[in-house]
Amino acid sequence: MKLNVSCLFAALLLVSGAAFAADKPIAKVNGAAISAAVNEALIDEQVQQGAQVNDELKKAARDELIRREVLAQDAHKQGLDKKSEVAARMELARQAVLVGYYVDQWIKTHPISDDKLKAEYDRRITGMKDMEYKARHILVEKEDDAKAIITKLQTGAKFEDLAKDSKDTGSKDNGGELGWSLPQNYVQPFADALRKLEKGKFTTVPVQTQFGYHVIMLEDTRKPEPPKFEDVKGQLQQGMQQQALSQFVAEMVSKAKVE
C-alpha cells in the first residue's frame, strides 16, 4: 500500500524525534525511537484523505516512517537541516501545524449558535426580493447579425431555430434556453435587459456584453423558492465560522506589536 504523505508531514519528521521521546515507540532506527504519536498522526492524515484503518494501513504507515527516519538521519548527518532554505521550510511546516491546531481549537470553543444561524438564514431569505427568470438567448459576434435575427423574429421566425447559429455552445442546441436563474447571475447589461422584458417578448435592440451581441427572450418569471434551513445550515455555519475567525485574527494582528 502506497501512502499519500504530505510534504508538510515529511518535513516534520526531521524534527519529531525529541518532541515525542516520551511516547512508546513503534520502532527504533539506529537507536532513534519512532513515536506512536507520530504514527497515529500519519494514519489520521491518511484517513482524512479517504483511507480505511486496517492492518494494511498500519503496516504501511510503520514502513513509511521507518524509511523516512532512515533518510532523515542521513539528512542530519549531511547537515541539510542547517541549510537556510531547509530550516526555513521546516519552520513554515512547524508554524502551519501549530496554527492549524490552534484554529481547530478556536473553532471548537467558539461555535456559531443555532439562533445566530437561523437569524442569518432569515436575513438572507428576506433579501431574496428578485424574481427568477426563465430565458433564452442568441449570441452573435456582430451587431448587424443580431439586428438581422430580430427582424426574422418579428416576421415570424422561431427563436429555437435561429438559436442554432448562436455562439453560445452551451445553449444553442437547446434553442438558446438558459433555464431558471436570478438576474444577478448574468452580466449587468444582460440582466438589465431581462428585467425590462415582458413574458413571451424578446429584445428589439441587440444587447451588447463582453461576449458579443445578444437577442434575449423572456419565457416566464417566478418567485424563487428559498432553500430549507436544514439544507443550508452546514453551509451557513461554515461561512459564518470563517467570517468570525477572520475577524478574530484581524483583531489579534491589530493588537500585535509589528515593527
Side-chain angles (χ1 to χ4, degrees):
M1 179 179 183
K2 186 177 180 180
L3 296 187
N4 183 12
V5 182
S6 69
C7 293
L8 175 61
F9 186 84
L12 289 178
L13 290 178
L14 294 173
V15 293
S16 63
F20 298 101
D23 292 332
K24 183 180 179 181
I26 60 161
K28 290 184 178 181
V29 179
N30 298 323
I34 298 177
S35 162
V38 172
N39 185 55
E40 287 300 318
L42 177 55
I43 291 174
D44 183 62
E45 186 179 85
Q46 301 306 304
V47 170
Q48 291 179 22
Q49 296 176 24
Q52 298 293 322
V53 179
N54 51 36
D55 291 341
E56 184 184 7
L57 176 62
K58 292 177 181 178
K59 181 180 183 304
R62 183 179 184 274
D63 291 346
E64 178 67 23
L65 289 174
I66 290 171
R67 282 192 295 270
R68 290 182 176 272
E69 179 60 31
V70 169
L71 294 174
Q73 288 181 17
D74 201 46
H76 277 289
K77 288 179 182 178
Q78 296 181 34
L80 296 182
D81 56 316
K82 302 297 190 297
K83 287 181 174 290
S84 60
E85 62 270 28
V86 176
R89 289 181 179 274
M90 290 170 63
E91 175 60 17
L92 286 175
R94 185 193 68 80
Q95 283 185 346
V97 172
L98 187 59
V99 169
Y101 274 94
Y102 178 86
V103 168
D104 287 344
Q105 290 301 310
W106 189 90
I107 289 175
K108 289 178 182 178
T109 55
H110 296 79
I112 306 297
S113 68
D114 282 356
D115 288 343
K116 288 184 178 179
L117 288 172
K118 188 61 167 61
E120 176 63 14
Y121 170 82
D122 292 339
R123 185 189 70 79
R124 295 192 183 190
I125 294 302
T126 303
M128 293 176 64
K129 297 178 180 178
D130 219 333
M131 300 290 288
E132 281 188 313
Y133 292 76
K134 187 180 182 183
R136 296 178 184 268
H137 85 137
I138 302 171
L139 176 63
V140 291
E141 188 90 28
K142 300 177 182 179
E143 185 178 12
D144 287 343
D145 293 338
K147 289 180 178 179
I149 290 170
I150 291 171
T151 299
K152 290 178 182 179
L153 288 171
Q154 291 172 331
T155 55
K158 291 185 178 180
F159 199 98
E160 295 89 331
D161 294 337
L162 298 178
K164 294 177 181 178
D165 295 325
S166 176
K167 282 176 54 184
D168 183 2
T169 57
S171 67
K172 62 183 296 184
D173 294 332
N174 297 319
E177 186 173 346
L178 297 172
W180 289 99
S181 184
L182 292 168
Q184 55 261 36
N185 292 333
Y186 298 114
V187 292
Q188 193 65 44
F190 193 105
D192 291 342
L194 193 59
R195 287 189 178 100
K196 294 176 183 178
L197 280 173
E198 297 178 10
K199 293 181 185 179
K201 301 295 184 180
F202 54 84
T203 51
T204 55
V205 176
V207 179
Q208 184 180 12
T209 70
Q210 65 264 41
F211 305 108
Y213 290 88
H214 306 258
V215 179
I216 306 168
M217 171 179 279
L218 175 61
E219 292 193 310
D220 203 357
T221 61
R222 70 183 182 189
K223 189 174 180 179
E225 184 70 26
K228 295 180 180 178
F229 174 66
E230 292 301 325
D231 292 340
V232 296
K233 181 180 177 181
Q235 185 179 353
L236 275 175
Q237 187 174 37
Q238 185 178 11
M240 293 180 70
Q241 198 87 67
Q242 187 59 49
Q243 186 178 15
L245 176 61
S246 297
Q247 184 177 350
F248 168 73
V249 172
E251 291 174 356
M252 291 281 286
V253 172
S254 67
K255 294 176 183 177
K257 184 179 179 181
V258 181
E259 299 175 352

